[in-house]
Amino acid sequence: MALEQDIEVLEKNNIIVSTLDKLWNWGRAHSFWPLTYGCNCCPIEMMAAGASRFDMARYGYEVFRASPRQADLLIVAGPITLKMKPVVERIWAQMPEPKWVVAMGNCATSGGPFKDGYAVLPGCDSLFDVDVFVPGCPPRPEALFHGLLELKKKVEGKS
């Protein structure tokens, strides 16, 4: 209790007290380097989010990576077919830790309109843990921004 009061006094005098872990997670949360997997219509909305009208750069996420070894966020936009399953799993395995996943669209979250087909997985959560689900068919760029901001909150609160 006394420690919390001391921290409040320091904050009133513009002295920031934090842990290295919180500072590290703050940096991670404000500088995601996304790697994209896209199929069908969701990647078009993801590209629109990175374009000038919506401008994903204002959140610090504009550096889309082409190599999994340089990315820490996998945005799965669209369905994953059985033929692409080993490729996506390999990409996920090549990404360095810590890494996160955003499932964008109904196809990535639950298979979407293709869920009854024999060649589409019932969501990317059957391959790896998904941190944020962005619903929609296809989701608007604003929905992707909301998902990324939710992921930012999740990473900042992580210890």
Side-chain angles (χ1 to χ4, degrees):
M1 192 67 161
L3 179 64
E4 291 175 12
Q5 292 172 350
D6 292 341
I7 290 174
E8 288 178 13
V9 169
L10 290 172
E11 286 177 352
K12 287 179 183 176
N13 293 317
N14 294 327
I15 298 173
I16 298 172
V17 178
S18 183
T19 63
L20 186 59
D21 198 31
K22 286 183 181 179
L23 181 66
W24 199 257
N25 286 335
W26 178 86
R28 286 178 178 157
H30 287 80
S31 62
F32 291 123
W33 285 15
L35 174 74
T36 60
Y37 167 81
C39 183
N40 293 354
C41 49
C42 288
I44 296 170
E45 296 295 325
M46 184 173 44
M47 287 183 266
S52 60
R53 180 175 179 193
F54 296 100
D55 193 22
M56 197 155 66
R58 69 181 121 171
Y59 298 109
Y61 311 141
E62 74 272 8
V63 184
F64 280 98
R65 307 314 295 175
S67 170
R69 291 181 180 93
Q70 298 172 352
D72 59 0
L73 169 63
L74 177 62
I75 301 176
V76 179
I80 298 176
T81 61
L82 292 176
K83 196 171 188 177
M84 287 302 293
K85 178 183 173 185
V87 175
V88 176
E89 286 175 331
R90 186 177 334 122
I91 287 171
W92 173 251
Q94 289 176 351
M95 290 174 63
E97 293 286 340
K99 52 190 171 182
W100 301 278
V101 176
V102 171
M104 180 180 174
N106 291 345
C107 293
T109 58
S110 66
F114 309 108
K115 67 181 175 191
D116 294 327
Y118 64 92
V120 176
L121 291 177
C124 64
D125 56 343
S126 62
L127 296 179
F128 30 72
D129 293 332
V130 176
D131 296 296
V132 175
F133 293 95
V134 179
C137 188
R140 297 272 308 148
E142 295 92 348
L144 178 60
F145 291 156
H146 179 71
L148 290 171
L149 292 174
E150 289 298 315
L151 181 62
K152 182 199 288 190
K153 289 179 192 173
K154 184 175 183 177
V155 171
E156 282 180 339
K158 191 175 181 180
S159 62

